[in-house]
Amino acid sequence: MTHSEQHRPEIVVGLVATPPDHPARVAARLTAELAGRLSERVNADVRWTVREGWGEVAPRRDGGVAALLDDLAQRRTDDRWDIAICLTDLPLHTERVPLVAQTSARRRVAMVSLPALGLGQLRAARAAVPDLVSRLLTDASDQRVPPAGWAPAELASRVAAIHRVVGEADAGELRYVASRLTGRVRLLTGMVKANRPGRALLGLSKLLVGAFGTAAFALTTNTIWQMGDGLGGLRLAVIMLLGLTALVAWLIVAHDLWEKPDRETPAELARLFNLGTILTLTLATAVSYLVLFAGTVLAAALLIDTSVLEQTLQRPVGFTDYLTLAWITSSLATVGGAIGSGLENEDTVRAAAYGYHPEPGGWRDEKDV
């Protein structure tokens, strides 16, 4: 450290992730670059130090943002941080609209709800966190950083998820909220991203193998060939949708993924959790279906000779007939694969539930944020 750096004031910013799952991966990526961004965006004459942590700040499933900020303030005091920012994957609301962020100059803390930022959560957090730090230091009249001289609406213009600001700037209690319609759509897509549907897809590997085995067996039955030829596109689409719906419903029921309201989980939060779970499983099963369909098309082309299929259907056949055959076979095999889902590891399937968080570990090497 040079002589000039020793005489620069130091400000310690703590980044807390709660729970230690998806937010921890975002915090790990942000920590590595936040000091430089604070120097560029807030004040280059300050020696910025960024600390990363998780735990001790419990996710408040009851929607109590004030209690969450109190916990964060206690963590800031215990660790002797100047400012603390909490990243959470809880879908929070205020005034019946999604809450994106909230600052408290009295506590010198702020929180950011990652799902409310939509799909580009890391990019939006990179833009929001430095401004939140600047806002807190300005509202707290910290002499080490001169007044920022910017209006609260600047953060709203920098981060697309923020629609407006609620609260008194002089009091330092500001809430950054999203719009009622677009904000809810962005919140749901952000919840699906935070829930990592790719993890759910990998967790359903036994189901996919079982469904493909069922499909391979069904391809040897010429009755399936005739059924596919006799059904129109609308009926095949209905069968496919029914199969996927049955699979998602079976996964939720068999593995107890449905969130029930209680004293810790309000009805609105439980509905959001359940919707996030349904969307995650729907996306994972849809991708599984596409993989199954592609594999079934390939298997049908290899196993069923064109002349044999023409003899059964009593007409010339083309590639579209193989697609139709794979379509009905995959739909029926999906229902059969639901039985195989009962053989999946409980933890891998339960990871698709939005309100479920496994023990921390293994997230530091993840790049999917």
Side-chain angles (χ1 to χ4, degrees), residues 213-360:
T214 303
F217 178 79
L219 286 175
T220 63
T221 307
N222 58 12
T223 304
I224 299 294
W225 308 355
Q226 295 170 341
M227 285 178 57
D229 185 52
L231 295 173
L234 178 60
R235 296 174 71 182
L236 287 172
V238 170
I239 293 173
M240 176 188 68
L241 293 176
L242 288 176
L244 292 174
T245 302
L247 177 56
V248 171
W250 172 257
L251 288 171
I252 291 174
V253 172
H255 298 279
D256 193 24
L257 305 185
W258 196 255
E259 191 80 32
K260 301 177 181 63
D262 53 31
R263 288 194 304 175
E264 295 184 354
T265 308
E268 176 65 20
L269 191 60
R271 283 194 292 269
L272 284 173
F273 280 172
N274 290 329
L275 192 52
T277 300
I278 292 172
L279 291 175
T280 301
L281 286 175
T282 299
L283 182 59
T285 54
V287 174
S288 297
Y289 184 89
L290 292 176
V291 173
L292 174 63
F293 177 79
T296 305
V297 171
L298 180 60
L302 292 174
L303 295 176
I304 305 174
D305 188 79
T306 303
S307 60
V308 177
L309 187 58
E310 288 179 343
Q311 183 178 359
T312 301
L313 301 182
Q314 297 183 350
R315 63 172 178 79
V317 299
F319 182 66
T320 55
D321 293 290
Y322 283 94
L323 294 178
T324 301
L325 177 58
W327 194 0
I328 185 173
T329 303
S330 299
S331 299
L332 296 177
T334 297
V335 178
I339 300 175
S341 69
L343 304 175
E344 296 286 355
N345 179 273
E346 185 72 17
D347 287 338
T348 61
V349 179
R350 281 194 58 78
Y354 194 83
Y356 172 80
H357 294 285
E359 292 297 321

Side-chain angles (χ1 to χ4, degrees), residues 53-70:
W54 49 265
E56 300 182 25
V57 177
R60 296 284 179 168
R61 295 183 58 165
D62 59 359
V65 178
L68 175 63
L69 294 178
D70 286 338

